[in-house]
Amino acid sequence: MKNTKLLILLVLGLFLSFTDVKAETLKRKNVDNGKINVVLNSNKGYVGALDATIKLTGNITFSKIEWNKSLNDLAMKEYEYDKKNNTVRIFLVTKNTSQNLLDKDGNLNIGNVVVTSTKTEDYNIELSKLSITNLDLVKSDIDSKKLESTGDKSFTIKIENTTKPSETNKPSDSNKPTSTKTPKPSDETNNDDKKEDNLNQDDNKTDSDENDDTNKENDNKEDSSKKESKKKLSIILIVCGIIGIISIIAGIIFYIIHKNKKEKPIIENQIIEKD
C-alpha cells in the first residue's frame, strides 16, 4: 500500500513538472528593415499585468515600439529604454480581471520593435526578464531559465551607402585639348577702338549726369529763394494792413473826440442865455 502511494505521488510529481516545463516564449518575426514583430506566448492562461525586459544585442539603437491594436484599451501601456544596457522595459496593465492580455491561444502580440543603425549591422532581440500578475492579482517572477525566444537566430538592418562615387574617372582639365588659335591683329585693334569708344561714351554720360545734378541744385536754390521772398512780402503786406487798419481806427476816434469838444461850448452858451 505504501509503495502504491509513493508511486502515485511520483507520477503526479513528474506530471506536474512536465506541465510546468513549457517556458514563456518570445516569438520574433522580421516584418521590415529594422522592424521586428514580437509576440509573447504564455501557458498561464490569464495575465492581468506584465513587466517584461527585452535585451538588444548588436551595434544598434532602439527607436520606438509600434503597439499592436489589440492593446489600445488598457489601463497602462508604457515602455522605458535603458541606453546604457541597451534594454527595453515594457509595462502592460489591464483595466480589470475581465480583460486578459493573452488571447485564446495564450499569445500576447506586443507589436513592432523598431531599431536604427548608422551602417548595415546584425543584431538580436531576446526576452531577459518577465513578471506577470495572475487572476488573483498575485505577481510572480518567471525564472530566466524558462524564458525562450523563437524565430531567426539573428536579424540584419541594412543601410544603403550614402557616399558619392569618386570623381577620379572624370576627365581632368589638363587632358582637355587646348586651342592653338591666335587672334588676328585687326581683331585686336578693332576691339581696342571699341573699348575706347565705350570709355568716351561713359565719360560723356558722367559729365552730363554731373551737369544735370548741378542744374537741379541751382533750380532748387532758386525755388527756395523765391519762396522765402514771397513769405517776406506777404509778412510785410500783413503788417502794413494791420498798421493801416489801426491808423484808420485811431483817426475815427480822434474825429469823434474832437467833434464832441466843439459841441459842448454851444450847449453851455444856450443854457446861459435862457437864464
Side-chain angles (χ1 to χ4, degrees):
M1 188 70 180
K2 290 181 179 180
N3 293 331
T4 305
K5 290 181 179 180
L6 289 173
L7 182 62
I8 292 171
L9 291 173
L10 181 62
V11 171
L12 288 174
L14 290 172
F15 178 76
L16 292 173
S17 62
F18 280 126
T19 55
D20 196 36
V21 165
K22 186 178 180 182
E24 311 299 310
T25 305
L26 185 69
K27 300 178 181 179
R28 305 164 302 170
K29 183 180 180 181
N30 188 12
V31 294
D32 202 353
N33 188 28
K35 187 180 294 187
I36 306 298
N37 178 253
V38 290
V39 178
L40 177 67
N41 180 265
S42 175
N43 62 347
K44 301 302 180 183
Y46 176 86
V47 175
L50 175 140
D51 180 1
T53 301
I54 294 176
K55 175 69 176 177
L56 308 177
T57 57
N59 191 17
I60 58 169
T61 302
F62 172 77
S63 176
K64 62 181 178 179
I65 290 181
E66 297 176 346
W67 298 110
N68 188 268
K69 293 181 180 179
S70 61
L71 306 179
N72 288 341
D73 190 24
L74 291 180
M76 182 178 181
K77 180 179 58 180
E78 296 180 1
Y79 62 83
E80 293 179 355
Y81 176 54
D82 184 355
K83 187 176 182 181
K84 182 179 179 181
N85 297 315
N86 210 15
T87 58
V88 182
R89 191 174 180 183
I90 300 171
F91 303 94
L92 299 175
V93 180
T94 58
K95 290 182 178 179
N96 47 54
T97 55
S98 62
Q99 283 185 314
N100 189 356
L101 292 176
L102 304 178
D103 61 12
K104 61 181 182 178
D105 298 322
N107 293 321
L108 167 59
N109 193 337
I110 297 173
N112 299 326
V113 177
V114 184
V115 298
T116 60
S117 178
T118 57
K119 61 180 181 179
T120 299
E121 187 74 24
D122 294 334
Y123 67 99
N124 207 345
I125 295 178
E126 295 178 346
L127 186 63
S128 61
K129 291 182 181 180
L130 179 63
S131 298
I132 60 175
T133 301
N134 59 18
L135 193 61
D136 296 326
L137 302 179
V138 177
K139 180 182 177 182
S140 60
D141 296 330
I142 308 300
D143 188 359
S144 61
K145 294 179 181 180
K146 295 182 180 180
L147 301 179
E148 295 181 356
S149 299
T150 61
D152 296 336
K153 292 182 179 179
S154 65
F155 304 92
T156 302
I157 181 171
K158 296 180 180 180
I159 306 298
E160 295 181 358
N161 188 10
T162 57
T163 58
K164 295 181 180 179
S166 60
E167 299 180 355
T168 55
N169 295 326
K170 290 185 178 181
S172 60
D173 295 336
S174 60
N175 294 327
K176 292 181 181 179
T178 57
S179 61
T180 57
K181 185 178 178 180
T182 57
K184 295 179 181 180
S186 60
D187 294 336
E188 290 180 354
T189 54
N190 290 328
N191 290 329
D192 293 336
D193 293 336
K194 288 180 180 179
K195 288 181 180 179
E196 290 180 358
D197 293 336
N198 290 328
L199 291 172
N200 292 327
Q201 289 178 0
D202 292 335
D203 293 336
N204 292 327
K205 286 181 180 179
T206 53
D207 293 336
S208 61
D209 293 336
E210 289 178 356
N211 292 327
D212 292 337
D213 293 335
T214 53
N215 292 328
K216 287 180 180 179
E217 289 179 358
N218 293 327
D219 293 337
N220 292 328
K221 289 180 180 180
E222 290 179 359
D223 292 337
S224 60
S225 61
K226 287 180 180 180
K227 288 179 181 179
E228 289 179 358
S229 60
K230 285 181 180 180
K231 286 181 181 180
K232 290 179 180 179
L233 181 61
S234 61
I235 292 168
I236 292 169
L237 291 174
I238 291 169
V239 172
C240 292
I242 292 170
I243 293 170
I245 292 168
I246 293 170
S247 61
I248 290 169
I249 294 170
I252 292 169
I253 294 169
F254 178 76
Y255 174 76
I256 293 169
I257 293 170
H258 184 69
K259 186 177 180 181
N260 290 332
K261 286 181 178 180
K262 286 182 178 181
E263 288 178 353
K264 283 181 180 180
I266 295 170
I267 293 170
E268 290 176 355
N269 291 329
Q270 288 177 357
I271 293 169
I272 294 168
E273 288 177 358
K274 286 181 181 181
D275 293 338

